Each structure stands twice: as structure tokens, then as C-alpha cells.
Amino acid sequence: MDSILVTGNGPLNGQIPIAGAKNACLTLMPATLLSEEPLTLTNAPRLSDIKTMTALLQSLGAEVSSLQDGQVIAMSSHNLTSQTADYDIVRKMRASNLVLGPLLARFGQAVVSLPGGCAIGARPMDLHMEGLEALGAEIELKDGYLHARAPGGLKGAVHEMRFASVGATENIVMAATLAKGTTVLKNAAREPEIVDLVECLRKMGAQISGEGSSTIEIHGVDRLHGATHQVVTDRIELGTYMLAPAICGGEVELLGGRMSLVDSFAAKLDAAGVSVTETQNGLKVARKNGRVQAVDVVTEPFPGFPTDLQAQMMALMCTAEGVSVLEERIFENRFMHAPELVRMGANIEVHGGTATVTGVETLKGARVMATDLRASVSLILAGLAAEGETTVSRVYHLDRGYEHVVRKLEGVGAKIERIKGE
Ligand code: EPZ
């Protein structure tokens, strides 16, 4: 397994290009299952999760080609041969469950393995099932698989989700595009990735309104046609790299960044003493004056503070002046980066869903282990600011969500390299 060696090397300066959003692409790709006509995505990120989704769609019989070094994904689901998403693929990536709604809508049946737990939490599928059952689906849990059927087709309905789940919103919206009648989905998730999905579905002929708000209305149509869609910028990669100059000093411009993607996060950085300004080409980030100040963080569904930036923000708070309390309200076990940061000299106390961080002047380089996607990059951020060398092992986690990390950080002056593992 490869590892990454980071050596604290002072302030960072320059530009970092931000890629297309992993979590938008992972819901846009299954949308191809809704139509017999080709769906092409541009600005796609080059990530291992995208390769996993490609393999899943191909296992269903879809044609999926990766063009222009992976930045274009051309898909066609003209002749699907299976409606079963196998455990071997789904267990690797929970987002595989996003084929459930489209398969059910197009074919009236789907067999999708339960994803199984993952490092950050149990992550059940009850909200997905409740929503699809509201549209008339019959779903049975057998041998670890969800067996979903809608023999007479799906019917529009009014459904209020108990929690604004991102994936459940995506599955229900995709299913509703081909249901008979109108669906009103209440307490829908509002993430930009959902707005991006709806914009793509609309290009395919879907009749949807309200995306980005808590109520999304979908008028079912008989069929959807092909389209070409540009994947929205990745707000989590954007937020991650905004923290690089915040933790190291210097000034970095994030190309393609837009304030509307990271409003609450940028406000939190501003309160901590980090300026974020919109430029012609993106967002420019720099400390306002010297050491950042501790601020409190509570993770919430969009537009609140993103849970996917909690680990990275904790790394910044480890070097801030004062005490920061971070409350993780979305996942039940998303502090696994804390003990690794403590190995670097951080002062963190975790009690249940709350971590209390007392900032220290400097962190010390150490050997640390990545435990999940976002934890892995929080350790790299800490290593950028630490004295000495930090080796982050198990970087396969990193490859799931961040393309060309070493190249992007080297480009702004970081001392970082990837060490080939055995
Ligand atoms: C999406 O996961 C993202 N993944 C996650 O990003 C992100 O952390 C999460 O949304 C929250 O923003 C993709 O988009 C591929 P949820 P998702 O359904 O859809 C519980 C990353 O790092 N829940 O909004 O699975 C669940 O257990 C990944 O890129 C149920 O209880 O998230 C969790 O505690 C990590 N029942 C909470 O809701 C359900 O049926 C939020 O889950 C579904 C979810």
C-alpha cells in the first residue's frame, strides 16, 4: 500500500485547480440507467470511486467509456442485461446504492446489495426504502440484498423524509422522473450535488422544480432522452484546499471555486481569521494576520457546515489559538482522524459526537494512518504545517476522492511525495 510523505515547508503560494465533484458524478452516472439514449458527462474527476461506479454500470450491461484522460464519461444504457448490483461492488462504495431508484423506475425491478457498514457509521438505507415505497415500490430484504419491485410502474406521491438524506433524495428524485403523476418530496436534501443532478435530469427531459430547497416537485414523464452535462465543481475538494494556506500561511487561489458552494464554510474560516475572496478565476484564500483563532463547528445538512469538511477543519483547529468544539451531527463515528492528529502533538478530547480541540503552537511530524477518505486528507493538511516529516499510510482512501493530490500541493510549494508501497 502506498503512503504519502509530507515535510512541513512553510507558507504555500500559487494556484490549485479544483476538479468536478465526486459526489455529483456518483449520482449523475446512475442517471444513465433512466434512458436508452447516451448520457455524456464532462469535467468528471479522475478518482477510484468513479472507476468503481463504472464497473458497476458495466456489470449491469451499460456501455461506459472514459475519454480525454477520464475527464469525459460517455455512457449508454441501451441494452442492459442485469438489474442486480452485486455485494462485491456495493461493499466497496456505498454510492452504488444510487442505481436502485433508476433501475426500479426504468425496469420495475432492482436487486441491490445492502452496502454494509463503513468506517464512519452504520449508514442504513431505511430512508431510501421509505421513499421508494411511497412511490409504490415493494421492497423486501433477503440475504443482504434489497429486492425491489414495481410491477405496475411507480406512481407519484407526496412524501416527507424523516431526515434530509442526500442519497435517499437522489434515489427518490431519479425514480420519480418516470413515475406516473406528480411527486412532492419534502425535507429533501439541498446539497449542490442534488441541484446538479436535477439540472442534468432536466436536460434529459425530466420535469422537476424546487431543487436546492427542502421541497422538490417532480412531474413524471414517459421517457427521458440523452444529454451532455458538465459536472459541478467539487465543493469538498475546494474546501479542503482552502485550508492549505489557512494552516500553512501564504496565499492560494482555488481555480473554479465559487463562494456559493462553500458559503457557511467560508464564513467559519472568516471568523477564524482567514480571508476568502472571489476572483475572476475562483477563490483566493490567505490568513488575515498570523495565527488563526479557534472557532466552534457543528456539522449539518447543506447549507450548514459540511460533515465532509469536519476532519479537515479539525486539523486547522489543532494549530489555532484557543479552544474549538467540533460537533459531528451527521455520522456516528467520524472522529477517527483525532487519535492520529494526537500522535502529531494535537490536544484533542473526544466524547461521543463532540471533539474539544485545544490549539498548540506547532504540530510535530509523525507516522500516521488514514482511516477514511476525509480523515486521510486532514492528516496531510496537518503534515503540511507540522515540523519535520509526516508519513500518511493507507492512501488508497485518498485516491477515492482526491485526484493528483501530490501534484496539486507541490504546485503551491508543498514538500510532498508519494512512496510506492509493497
Ligand atoms: C452523501 O452520503 C455523501 N456521499 C457523503 O460523502 C456525505 O458525507 C453525506 O452525503 C452527507 O452529506 C455521496 O454523495 C456519494 P446521507 P449519503 O444519506 O447519501 C443516515 C464523502 O466523504 N441515513 O445524507 O450516504 C446516515 O447513516 C462521503 O464524500 C439513514 O439513517 O449520506 C448518516 O448518518 C462520505 N438512513 C446520515 O443519514 C438512510 O436511509 C446522512 O446520510 C440514509 C442515511
Side-chain angles (χ1 to χ4, degrees):
M1 278 183 262
D2 290 4
S3 56
I4 285 198
L5 172 63
V6 194
T7 308
N9 192 33
L12 302 176
N13 289 286
Q15 297 180 323
I16 297 180
I18 303 300
K22 166 178 85 81
N23 290 348
C25 205
L26 289 175
T27 188
L28 289 164
M29 290 176 74
T32 184
L33 300 169
L34 290 166
S35 169
E36 291 193 351
E37 297 179 20
L39 174 62
T40 300
L41 301 176
T42 61
N43 192 38
R46 281 67 62 92
L47 304 167
S48 59
D49 270 9
I50 304 305
K51 294 195 173 79
T52 304
M53 182 59 81
T54 297
L56 171 59
L57 293 175
Q58 289 171 338
S59 77
L60 300 174
E63 289 156 38
V64 185
S65 346
S66 167
L67 313 167
Q68 291 178 33
D69 183 29
Q71 284 214 300
V72 172
I73 304 174
M75 300 174 283
S76 166
S77 302
H78 186 63
N79 2 324
L80 292 187
T81 51
S82 158
Q83 282 90 44
T84 297
D86 210 64
Y87 173 67
D88 281 343
I89 293 186
V90 178
R91 72 179 171 78
K92 271 198 290 188
M93 184 182 66
R94 173 185 173 80
S96 309
N97 64 18
L98 293 171
V99 302
L100 177 58
L103 287 173
L104 199 47
R106 173 114 176 261
F107 299 100
Q109 65 171 26
V111 179
V112 176
S113 166
L114 275 177
C118 85
I120 61 177
R123 304 181 78 181
M125 285 201 48
D126 52 333
L127 298 171
H128 298 244
M129 292 162 65
E130 287 163 20
L132 295 172
E133 283 164 346
L135 298 182
E138 292 150 20
I139 303 181
E140 192 198 344
L141 185 51
K142 209 166 67 183
D143 312 327
Y145 280 78
L146 293 179
H147 293 258
R149 291 167 5 91
L154 297 171
K155 291 175 190 59
V158 177
H159 177 67
E160 179 156 1
M161 290 203 296
R162 288 182 287 113
F163 174 80
S165 154
V166 172
T169 300
E170 291 162 347
N171 253 331
I172 297 162
V173 165
M174 285 194 281
T177 57
L178 296 177
K180 290 183 187 63
T182 296
T183 296
V184 177
L185 182 60
K186 295 183 174 178
N187 197 23
R190 300 171 56 190
E191 275 69 3
E193 293 75 35
I194 288 166
V195 173
D196 204 42
L197 170 65
V198 170
E199 285 172 0
C200 178
L201 293 170
R202 203 175 279 132
K203 287 177 190 168
M204 296 169 72
Q207 291 179 19
I208 307 177
S209 58
E211 69 278 8
S213 80
S214 301
T215 302
I216 300 178
E217 190 162 311
I218 307 108
H219 300 282
V221 294
D222 293 338
R223 58 192 296 281
L224 294 181
H225 49 73
T228 296
H229 180 74
Q230 179 179 310
V231 179
V232 69
T233 301
D234 192 323
R235 63 194 170 94
I236 305 303
E237 188 193 25
L238 171 60
T240 300
Y241 287 124
M242 287 165 71
L243 286 165
I247 203 166
C248 293
E251 181 178 85
V252 174
E253 184 177 27
L254 295 314
L255 303 179
R258 292 201 320 268
M259 193 66 94
S260 59
L261 291 170
V262 286
D263 263 332
S264 65
F265 178 67
K268 199 51 88 171
L269 284 188
D270 184 70
V274 178
S275 74
V276 181
T277 44
E278 289 215 290
T279 67
Q280 205 77 28
N281 309 310
L283 296 179
K284 192 166 276 190
V285 179
R287 285 178 184 162
K288 289 182 198 169
N289 39 32
R291 198 174 170 199
V292 301
Q293 299 301 308
V295 289
D296 294 342
V297 168
V298 177
T299 64
E300 294 172 308
F302 195 89
F305 189 100
T307 175
D308 292 349
L309 286 171
Q310 176 262 108
Q312 300 91 312
M313 187 69 176
M314 186 185 286
L316 178 66
M317 291 296 102
C318 289
T319 62
E321 186 164 358
V323 178
S324 159
V325 176
L326 295 102
E327 198 183 329
E328 173 56 56
R329 288 192 178 166
I330 304 293
F331 289 104
E332 60 268 35
N333 182 33
R334 204 172 196 179
F335 285 140
M336 287 172 295
H337 41 287
E340 301 301 315
L341 291 165
V342 168
R343 285 179 50 74
M344 298 176 70
N347 178 344
I348 308 171
E349 283 184 33
V350 172
H351 296 289
T354 300
T356 303
V357 181
T358 304
V360 296
E361 284 279 345
T362 48
L363 295 171
K364 300 277 182 295
R367 293 178 59 78
V368 290
M369 184 180 80
T371 50
D372 61 85
L373 166 57
R374 306 304 175 180
S376 58
V377 79
S378 82
L379 299 174
I380 288 181
L381 288 169
L384 289 171
E387 267 171 15
E389 291 187 346
T390 297
T391 303
V392 182
S393 64
R394 301 193 177 187
V395 289
Y396 58 83
H397 289 293
L398 204 60
D399 297 336
R400 295 192 53 182
Y402 291 91
E403 63 171 43
H404 308 315
V405 174
V406 171
R407 187 194 308 172
K408 291 188 176 187
L409 286 171
E410 267 181 337
V412 290
K415 210 163 165 220
I416 180 170
E417 59 181 299
R418 189 171 182 124
I419 314 282
K420 276 270 158 257
E422 56 284 349

